[in-house]
């Protein structure tokens, strides 16, 4: 396996009865890349991600994530990735600090490291005054930024972000993306899904899933050229409308 | 919500645009008589939201952000239920919901809880319309919905507008503002501005530049470190940059970015969008 390919997927398929939720998808993601994983609701994105993060067993095909096999090494995958989605982020009834300690503990970090990471993270996000507040009482944007930082607490090779910015105000949404750029710049691979097509333009490369298959995969610039479209929104509408 | 004032004209498609926590749902709950205001007054379809709440309930349709139909009733049972409550029948107003309902009619015997997100949305809209309301309130109907379904939903709203229904719709998606006749930009319980989408963009007083270079992260950090910067926001493939100086010369910025070892620098004037305006007002 090439060292710079942190995700390698070949012919990956998931069947539910006769229905191919994910139908033989093939792609690779490089180290430090921001990879946009787009598709309409029901196109198969979530099913594909579940296989990549080791919580759903593929029907056929091959895939390695951070060098580990999605069939046989799912525990190693989980240790080496971060995950954040809007549905599952932090515990609302734990405080900011408790959440950080909890997730640090889950990933098996030593107490001393958790303390250091926690202090650094709180300082960087400017959360010094709310460390003992319940996460449920924080504005959504703060929660999402904290959640992203927590998903990086164990220095994962790859972080999976499933619609991380839905409903967030435009300024916070951009601060969030600056955090993504920063993580990618430091070598973390970012695998992100979004319904905001301007965010698709922020990605190094973008894949678009339609009915279980990847119908397009390239840089936003090349996709726009290929489909003679002015924006990624037009590319998406062109493809997903069929 | 603090001291909000606005008017919506008959048959208008009026957008309430703002992020989560801005107060959109609270506003809708007051206008649909589900919540009392602490101060101030409001009328909907000519009725007072406190005194005439029963009349308002007969005159408005409300589609909450959270799916609120009966999950264990079928599609048809839900629709019948809402029709009956308002003393009407599906047949009587079928014309109004036809466009939308035909898309879910093949599944009319399926329980609502078993529908996909898109179908739930269409059923909820059908139920909100079944008594032919004068005013339709849609609270974030497109949140979490993909661009294709979002586009179809807005086309549906335009058709409803043709049928003499006034529509108030809230959304966190700034690009949807352009599809409304007029919009109110709302944040932290306050209205920042109300106008047509075109006029809102015109009010933006600064010159905006599209900036691009080889490394996005370095570009953002360098622009933010530039002493003359006013705002720096990633915008698709570019960064939108505004400068504090009135006599700003892009060549200066180009030279500065070069000194920061950035390559493939591109700087060009661009037009403001609703989102630029929103962020400028929200700071």
């Amino acid at each position: 396996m090439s060292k710079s390919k942190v995700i390698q997927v070949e012919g990956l398929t998931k069947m539910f009865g006769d229905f191919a939720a994910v139908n033989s998808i093939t792609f690779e993601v490089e180290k430090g890349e921001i990879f946009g994983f787009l598709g309409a609701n029901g196109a198969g994105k979530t099913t594909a991600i579940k296989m990549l993060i080791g919580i759903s067993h593929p029907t056929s095909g091959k895939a390695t994530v951070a060098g580990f096999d999605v069939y046989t090494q799912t525990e190693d995958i989980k240790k080496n990735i971060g995950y954040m989605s809007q549905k599952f982020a932090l515990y609302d009834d734990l405080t900011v600090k408790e959440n950080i300690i909890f997730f640090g503990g889950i990933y098996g970090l030593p107490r001393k490291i958790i303390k250091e990471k926690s202090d650094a993270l709180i300082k960087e996000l400017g959360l010094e005054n709310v460390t003992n507040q319940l996460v449920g009482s924080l504005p959504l944007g703060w929660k999402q930024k904290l959640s992203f930082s927590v998903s990086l607490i164990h220095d994962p090779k790859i972080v999976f972000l499933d619609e991380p910015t839905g409903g967030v105000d435009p300024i916070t949404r951009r601060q969030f993306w600056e955090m993504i750029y920063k993580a990618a710049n430091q070598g973390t691979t970012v695998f992100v899904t979004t319904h905001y097509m301007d965010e698709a333009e922020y990605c190094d490369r973008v894949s678009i899933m339609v009915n279980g298959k990847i119908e397009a995969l390239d840089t936003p610039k090349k996709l726009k050229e290929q489909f003679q479209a002015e924006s990624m929104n037009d590319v998406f509408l062109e493809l997903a409308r069929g | 919500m603090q001291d909000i004032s606005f008017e919506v004209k008959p048959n208008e498609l009026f957008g309430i645009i703002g992020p989560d926590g801005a107060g959109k749902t609270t506003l809708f709950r007051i206008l649909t008589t589900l919540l009392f205001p602490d101060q101030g007054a409001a009328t909907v379809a000519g009725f007072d939201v406190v005194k005439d709440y029963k009349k308002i309930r007969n005159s408005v349709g409300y589609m909450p952000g959270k799916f609120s139909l009966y999950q264990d009733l079928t599609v048809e049972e839900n629709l019948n239920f809402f029709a009956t409550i308002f003393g009407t029948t599906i047949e009587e107003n079928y014309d109004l919901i036809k466009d939308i309902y035909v898309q879910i009619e093949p599944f009319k015997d399926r329980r609502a809880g078993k529908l996909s997100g898109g179908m739930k949305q269409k059923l909820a809209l059908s139920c909100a319309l079944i008594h032919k309301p004068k005013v339709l309130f849609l609270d974030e109907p497109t949140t979490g919905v993909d661009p294709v379904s979002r586009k179809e939903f807005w086309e549906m709203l335009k058709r409803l507008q043709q049928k003499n229904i006034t529509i108030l719709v809230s959304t966190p998606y700034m690009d949807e503002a352009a599809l409304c006749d007029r919009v109110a930009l709302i944040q932290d319980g306050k209205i920042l501005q109300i106008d047509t989408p075109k006029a809102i963009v015109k009010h933006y007083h600064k010159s905006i530049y599209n900036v691009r270079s080889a490394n996005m992260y370095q570009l953002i950090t360098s622009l933010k470190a530039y002493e003359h910067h006013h705002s720096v926001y990633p915008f698709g493939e570019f960064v939108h940059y505004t400068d504090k100086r009135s006599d700003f010369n892009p060549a200066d910025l180009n030279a500065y970015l070069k000194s920061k070892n950035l390559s493939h620098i591109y700087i060009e004037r661009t037009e403001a969008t609703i989102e630029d305006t929103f962020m400028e007002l929200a700071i």
Side-chain angles (χ1 to χ4, degrees):
Chain A
M1 174 191 123
S2 150
K3 265 210 167 153
S4 65
K5 308 267 192 250
V6 291
I7 301 179
Q8 290 185 302
V9 177
E10 205 186 317
L12 195 67
T13 299
K14 179 82 185 186
M15 304 291 297
F16 293 114
D18 291 338
F19 174 67
V22 175
N23 193 350
S24 189
I25 59 172
T26 299
F27 64 94
E28 291 176 336
V29 183
E30 308 253 346
K31 182 177 180 339
E33 191 172 24
I34 302 177
F35 188 85
F37 196 62
L38 311 184
N41 297 342
K45 297 189 304 279
T46 304
T47 308
I49 291 177
K50 279 185 177 169
M51 290 191 278
L52 295 180
I53 63 178
I55 59 171
S56 172
H57 203 76
T59 308
S60 61
K62 285 192 275 188
T64 60
V65 173
F68 299 106
D69 184 86
V70 295
Y71 290 90
T72 56
Q73 297 173 300
T74 53
E75 287 311 304
D76 294 302
I77 289 178
K78 287 172 200 163
K79 280 178 201 156
N80 282 282
I81 61 165
Y83 177 79
M84 170 200 165
S85 84
Q86 228 187 358
K87 280 158 209 142
F88 178 75
L90 302 168
Y91 290 98
D92 274 349
D93 41 14
L94 294 183
T95 67
V96 169
K97 208 164 189 177
E98 285 166 347
N99 264 293
I100 300 172
I101 292 169
F102 175 78
F103 281 99
I106 288 261
Y107 285 111
L109 300 182
R111 268 170 198 278
K112 190 167 157 267
I113 303 280
I114 295 178
K115 172 89 177 59
E116 283 169 22
K117 291 253 179 192
S118 168
D119 291 347
L121 194 158
I122 285 165
K123 192 167 166 231
E124 194 178 333
L125 293 176
L127 296 174
E128 289 94 338
N129 295 326
V130 296
T131 50
N132 294 318
Q133 265 186 37
L134 296 184
V135 158
S137 69
L138 299 180
L140 178 71
W142 292 24
K143 262 198 249 184
Q144 298 301 85
K145 284 194 273 183
L146 176 61
S147 176
F148 179 57
S149 301
V150 167
S151 75
L152 293 173
I153 196 161
H154 55 301
D155 297 320
K157 294 194 177 70
I158 307 162
V159 61
F160 288 85
L161 308 172
D162 196 359
E163 284 179 44
T165 56
V168 175
D169 72 84
I171 295 178
T172 311
R173 205 150 69 77
R174 287 181 169 75
Q175 290 167 347
F176 195 92
W177 270 90
E178 284 167 30
M179 291 172 71
I180 291 180
Y181 283 129
K182 188 177 175 193
N185 205 53
Q186 290 167 349
T188 311
T189 303
V190 180
F191 189 98
V192 59
T193 74
T194 177
H195 284 322
Y196 290 96
M197 288 302 118
D198 60 329
E199 294 188 346
E201 312 250 7
Y202 300 160
C203 299
D204 295 318
R205 283 189 309 145
V206 167
S207 75
I208 301 180
M209 261 184 107
V210 182
N211 297 331
K213 290 185 180 155
I214 291 184
E215 292 291 350
L217 199 175
D218 216 322
T219 63
K221 190 163 178 271
K222 291 220 175 104
L223 285 176
K224 282 184 281 183
E225 283 167 14
Q226 186 188 334
F227 290 90
Q228 299 179 336
E230 279 192 9
S231 67
M232 280 304 294
N233 195 47
D234 294 343
V235 173
F236 190 92
L237 290 176
E238 177 77 23
L239 265 174
R241 253 192 180 173
Chain B
M1 250 173 45
Q2 293 172 49
D3 200 17
I4 279 185
S5 300
F6 68 99
E7 287 177 1
V8 178
K9 297 168 196 155
N11 291 346
E12 198 169 20
L13 178 48
F14 190 88
I16 311 277
I17 318 282
D20 275 22
K24 302 190 296 291
T25 300
T26 307
L27 175 62
F28 276 19
R29 292 177 68 86
I30 290 174
L31 295 180
T32 52
T33 76
L34 300 173
L35 199 65
F36 281 128
D38 292 325
Q39 275 174 45
T43 63
V44 174
F47 303 117
D48 185 279
V49 290
V50 179
K51 280 184 292 191
D52 299 324
Y53 74 95
K54 281 190 179 163
K55 285 178 184 150
I56 288 185
R57 288 180 189 184
N58 277 318
S59 320
V60 306
Y62 175 43
M63 182 173 149
K66 196 168 164 254
F67 184 69
S68 308
L69 302 179
Y70 293 96
Q71 310 258 6
D72 41 13
L73 292 186
T74 66
V75 167
E76 197 175 23
E77 285 166 347
N78 263 296
L79 198 55
N80 252 325
F81 175 80
F82 283 95
T84 313
I85 281 201
F86 286 107
T88 181
T89 58
I90 297 180
E91 292 72 34
E92 201 171 327
N93 293 314
Y94 189 71
D95 191 42
L96 193 59
I97 61 162
K98 199 175 124 202
D99 273 359
I100 307 153
Y101 190 61
V102 286
Q103 300 174 51
I104 48 171
E105 215 163 12
F107 312 99
K108 67 182 167 108
D109 296 326
R110 193 180 286 189
R111 287 186 187 197
K114 299 279 180 203
L115 296 175
S116 73
M119 288 198 279
K120 277 184 184 167
Q121 187 197 41
K122 285 176 183 131
L123 177 59
L125 184 58
S126 300
C127 290
L129 282 169
I130 195 61
H131 58 298
K132 203 167 197 266
K134 290 196 183 77
V135 188
L136 185 61
F137 290 89
L138 306 168
D139 194 5
E140 298 206 17
T142 54
T143 293
V145 175
D146 68 69
V148 176
S149 310
R150 283 211 279 144
K151 191 158 188 273
E152 286 172 1
F153 194 82
W154 278 91
E155 286 164 2
M156 225 147 55
L157 293 190
K158 292 276 180 195
R159 284 198 297 271
L160 285 175
Q161 202 188 0
Q162 303 302 317
K163 294 178 178 168
N164 295 329
I165 294 178
T166 305
I167 303 173
L168 272 85
V169 55
S170 73
T171 175
Y173 294 98
M174 300 282 151
D175 58 341
E176 292 183 345
L179 303 168
C180 302
D181 298 328
R182 284 191 309 145
V183 296
L185 304 181
I186 175 170
Q187 171 142 313
D188 296 330
K190 289 178 200 143
I191 290 181
L192 305 170
Q193 201 165 58
I194 302 178
D195 218 323
T196 63
K198 276 191 182 146
I200 282 187
V201 172
K202 266 192 195 146
H203 292 157
Y204 193 89
H205 58 284
K206 281 192 153 318
S207 306
I208 296 190
Y209 291 84
N210 270 337
V211 185
R212 188 172 59 198
S213 83
N215 183 316
M216 194 61 156
Y217 179 64
Q218 272 175 29
L219 175 65
I220 294 168
T221 9
S222 303
L223 286 172
K224 287 199 163 175
Y226 190 46
E227 56 175 328
H228 303 294
H229 86 272
H230 171 72
S231 66
V232 176
Y233 294 121
F235 250 88
E237 60 182 310
F238 302 104
V239 172
H240 277 190
Y241 173 84
T242 61
D243 199 276
K244 279 181 197 154
R245 298 162 293 183
S246 53
D247 59 344
F248 169 62
N249 181 356
D252 295 342
L253 182 63
N254 200 315
Y256 163 79
L257 291 175
K258 272 191 183 142
S259 78
K260 293 285 168 186
N261 293 323
L262 283 156
S263 62
H264 300 89
I265 299 164
Y266 166 100
I267 304 174
E268 196 180 66
R269 196 57 204 276
T270 186
E271 298 292 316
T273 66
I274 298 260
E275 203 156 0
D276 289 300
T277 315
F278 187 95
M279 291 194 285
E280 184 67 21
L281 292 166
I283 293 173

